[in-house]
Amino acid sequence: MNVSKVISTINEQTQNGITEVYLVACGGSLVDMYPSKYFLDSEAQKIVPGMYTANEFVHSLPKRLNKDSVVIVCSHGGNTPESVEAAKVAKERGAHTIGLTHNKEANLLKYSDHQFVYEWGEDSDVKNNPMAIIMELSVEILKVTEGYAHYDAFQGGIEKINGIITEGKKLVAARAKAFADKYRTEGLFYILSSGASYGHAYGFAICSLMEMQWLNAASIHSGEYFHGPFEVTDKETPFILMMNEGRTRALDERALTFLQKYAEKVEVVDAKELGIGTIADEVVEFFNPILFYSIMCVYREALADVRNHPLETRRYMGKVAY
Amino acid sequence: MNVSKVISTINEQTQNGITEVYLVACGGSLVDMYPSKYFLDSEAQKIVPGMYTANEFVHSLPKRLNKDSVVIVCSHGGNTPESVEAAKVAKERGAHTIGLTHNKEANLLKYSDHQFVYEWGEDSDVKNNPMAIIMELSVEILKVTEGYAHYDAFQGGIEKINGIITEGKKLVAARAKAFADKYRTEGLFYILSSGASYGHAYGFAICSLMEMQWLNAASIHSGEYFHGPFEVTDKETPFILMMNEGRTRALDERALTFLQKYAEKVEVVDAKELGIGTIADEVVEFFNPILFYSIMCVYREALADVRNHPLETRRYMGKVAY
């Protein structure tokens, strides 16, 4: 499927152009939508973005949802019941649905006017993974409806990010191993970030640590840290800080300064040091989470190895009724 | 200050009526804005809501912000630098600012076109506390700009909620004490909720537990629980589930069913059992968080007592530079 073709087709089918973009999914797929929500919140002057965990969308359907809305639904396996239902209720309301999944037999596709069966795995270029595809869809919607001054800069970033990741993964391989060795017996981690990457702080907590390692974890927005959460800071509690390049870097730097003074177990993953700065200033911040996801996969694999807890092990998901 | 007077005054000063409502604050004050964000996300067809932790708003100012936007900023002490700055930058963009604080000398008020110095403390009626005032402002904006069919029902709820809370607090006094005795030595709690109350799950985690008790904590959306977080569930990990009345109750009930089967340390705080059902069906869901805040204060006080850790004790906030 071609992103710009899909969006121009939808836009032509609407009465007055696309007016809303709803990003709807669960867990890890919802995490992949956060950068697009942040992008549209920041850049759009007309398009209205909304982001929902699928079951809340289904039960608490926004009155704004209409025939000129686009609802993007993502489900890796493609059969998450509440995500399939979200696409179904969106279609019933007359909205245009775009479904993303890794499964070409997915039930989600039954309710998707437009379909992206995406690539996945170590060898895929990240521009073909759902996070980047959803970002491209969002950027394209903005361009088509109200214009986006940094469209070309964004496309330049899309072409560069996979190469930056490849180099970044080499750079962190040894430090991820050292991290895993150092923290192998810890039971809890706090993950800090800001801006476009906050969703991936949440994602590393709930998917990589809670789901895949059965470890306690929580995300903290770097800006919110100083308004409550920082009171748990001490020399025993581990923090992972994902530092963005771009406008919210100041928030992450403030957290770093505090952590360096009052904490001792601090792992810093810095997008700037990892080379993201070759992407244009106007758009670089939106690429931080794409980099962080791949880099943090190296960390979680190292942790899984040293803990002898394979990333695929589940006790409930797909095993018991819920 | 009179809510409806303020909103009609602002609306008359705009070119085409109010078009956006930005809710901007930090920590506990941001928590008090979440119900309004949920309300506008659900009910508005024209008004565009946005919610930001103040420092992210300042650094990543939305392009949409304009002379027809209302920016509501809340700071209890009134001098939180990033909240004051948020009101300042909003005014520089020409937006209409409404400042809420408990401090009539607050710096925030310098940049607030309209000011609410609110009541606080045990004896105040919750309708005079910031969460309800911000809800009333949001409801009034919706009514004035595009109409709100359940306006009278909402006002009925505002009149009833304080009485429901008074009875609810009596009902939970003994069980909050039992909760505190049972969990006095726990080091971590997960707080679950959904809908309008998710912000207060976050708030109980970051303010009541992390800030005021130096306990590890995290909020989990009841809908997201099944997509990662539930893998940490076991008989040793404590969960607090705040069950809403209204459209998202099904999400909380699903979490309850799972917790009853696989967890043992589960505290349920059920708005329905606490009598919220006397508020009209069309609006009851928006009142859950107002009830939960007051009820959870009983729990946190009981926990502070039994742990000999006063709620006012801080090691960093207001004590060191950050």
Side-chain angles (χ1 to χ4, degrees), chain A residues 256-287:
Chain A
L256 178 65
T257 302
F258 190 89
L259 287 166
Q260 283 174 331
K261 190 157 184 184
Y262 297 104
E264 277 187 359
K265 297 178 176 175
V266 182
E267 185 74 14
V268 176
V269 182
D270 185 348
K272 189 174 183 173
E273 185 223 350
L274 296 175
I276 205 164
T278 59
I279 295 176
D281 288 351
E282 297 80 3
V283 296
V284 64
E285 63 179 318
F286 309 122
F287 289 90

Side-chain angles (χ1 to χ4, degrees), chain A residues 27 38 42-43 47 53 56 60 63-64 82 190 195 202 216 221 224 227 231 233 254 315-317, chain B residues 27 38 42-43 47 53 56 60 63-64 82 190 195 202 216 221 224 227 231 233 315-317:
Chain A
Y38 176 84
S42 168
E43 303 301 311
I47 288 288
T53 185
E56 186 147 303
S60 178
K63 288 206 170 61
R64 189 190 305 270
E82 50 268 60
Y190 286 111
Y202 170 73
N216 293 305
H221 191 288
E224 284 284 281
H227 302 282
E231 285 286 335
T233 308
R254 185 182 178 204
R315 45 184 154 184
Y316 307 120
M317 191 178 280
Chain B
Y38 175 83
S42 168
E43 302 301 311
I47 289 287
T53 186
E56 186 147 303
S60 178
K63 288 204 169 62
R64 188 190 305 270
E82 50 268 59
Y190 286 110
Y202 170 73
N216 293 306
H221 191 289
E224 284 284 282
H227 302 281
E231 285 286 336
T233 307
R315 44 185 156 184
Y316 307 120
M317 190 177 282

Side-chain angles (χ1 to χ4, degrees), chain A residues 57-78:
Chain A
F57 183 80
V58 168
H59 283 82
S60 178
L61 205 62
K63 288 206 170 61
R64 189 190 305 270
L65 180 68
N66 68 78
K67 294 183 167 59
D68 292 348
S69 305
V70 172
V71 180
I72 303 176
V73 182
C74 182
S75 167
H76 187 69

Side-chain angles (χ1 to χ4, degrees), chain B residues 3 32-33 36 74 76 100-102 116-137 158 161-162 165 169 200 289-291 293-294 297:
Chain B
V3 164
D32 277 351
M33 293 174 157
S36 292
C74 181
H76 187 70
L100 290 90
T101 176
H102 186 52
F116 289 86
V117 180
Y118 57 73
E119 296 178 11
W120 194 246
E122 273 294 306
D123 297 333
S124 62
D125 187 318
V126 293
K127 76 179 178 186
N128 299 319
N129 293 164
M131 186 171 18
I133 296 172
I134 297 165
M135 272 294 284
E136 288 220 67
L137 288 164
I158 285 285
I161 188 65
N162 203 62
I165 286 169
K169 285 166 95 169
H200 265 75
I290 304 182
L291 173 63
Y293 174 73
S294 295
C297 281

Side-chain angles (χ1 to χ4, degrees), chain A residues 179-243:
Chain A
F179 164 87
D181 288 339
K182 187 173 173 189
Y183 297 117
R184 62 191 301 164
T185 62
E186 296 292 341
L188 174 144
F189 293 85
Y190 286 111
I191 323 299
L192 275 77
S193 199
S194 67
S197 301
Y198 175 68
H200 265 76
Y202 170 73
F204 194 75
I206 70 152
C207 296
S208 301
L209 297 178
M210 298 177 83
E211 178 182 333
M212 297 179 178
Q213 291 296 299
W214 308 354
L215 286 168
N216 293 305
S219 55
I220 302 172
H221 191 288
S222 304
E224 284 284 281
Y225 175 59
F226 298 97
H227 302 282
F230 76 157
E231 285 286 335
V232 301
T233 308
D234 60 25
K235 298 186 191 309
E236 299 305 317
T237 305
F239 292 85
I240 300 171
L241 172 62
M242 302 194 300
M243 295 185 68

